[in-house]
Amino acid sequence: MPILYALVARKLSVLAEYTNSSGNFPTVTRVLLSKIPQQDGRMSYEYDKNIFHYIVDQGITFLCMADSNTKKRIAFSFLDDIMKKWRENYSTIE
C-alpha cells in the first residue's frame, strides 16, 4: 500500500491518525508537526525511505506518509479527499 500513515492535526494536537503498519511514525510526525508552518500551503519532506506530504488549510494539517515510489499526485489527491471529508463532518456552519 503506497499510503502508510495519515493524520489530521491542529497545530501540535493530533485530532485523528491511522496506520496499518508498524513503525515510529507517530514519533517522527510529532517532530515534523513542530516544523510545519501554520499558514495555508502544501509541501513534501523526505525522511529515510518515505515521503511526508501535507496540506495546511485553515489551521488544520492533513498529513500522510507514503513510500518513495508513490507519486505526489496520488498522495495529494488522498489528502484532498481526507480534507474534504473532514470539512463535511467537522466544520461548523455559521
Side-chain angles (χ1 to χ4, degrees), residues 17-31:
E17 67 184 320
Y18 177 78
T19 186
N20 63 357
S21 305
S22 62
N24 65 341
F25 316 132
T27 304
V28 173
T29 54
R30 290 339 183 254
V31 172

Side-chain angles (χ1 to χ4, degrees), residues 11-66:
K11 297 186 181 182
L12 299 178
S13 298
V14 175
L15 305 173
E17 67 184 320
Y18 177 78
T19 186
N20 63 357
S21 305
S22 62
N24 65 341
F25 316 132
T27 304
V28 173
T29 54
R30 290 339 183 254
V31 172
L32 185 57
L33 281 174
S34 70
K35 299 178 185 298
I36 293 176
Q38 289 304 299
Q39 67 264 25
D40 289 0
R42 297 171 177 247
M43 185 67 74
S44 299
Y45 288 106
E46 186 171 349
Y47 178 81
D48 203 16
K49 294 180 181 178
N50 296 306
I51 312 287
F52 289 88
H53 306 278
Y54 72 83
I55 298 172
V56 177
D57 182 70
Q58 300 176 25
I60 304 289
T61 300
F62 302 89
L63 180 144
C64 71
M65 185 186 80

Side-chain angles (χ1 to χ4, degrees), residues 79-91:
L79 291 173
D80 283 333
D81 189 47
I82 295 297
M83 184 171 62
K84 179 182 174 203
K85 289 177 181 177
W86 185 269
R87 297 286 182 219
E88 288 171 355
N89 289 299
Y90 300 110
S91 290

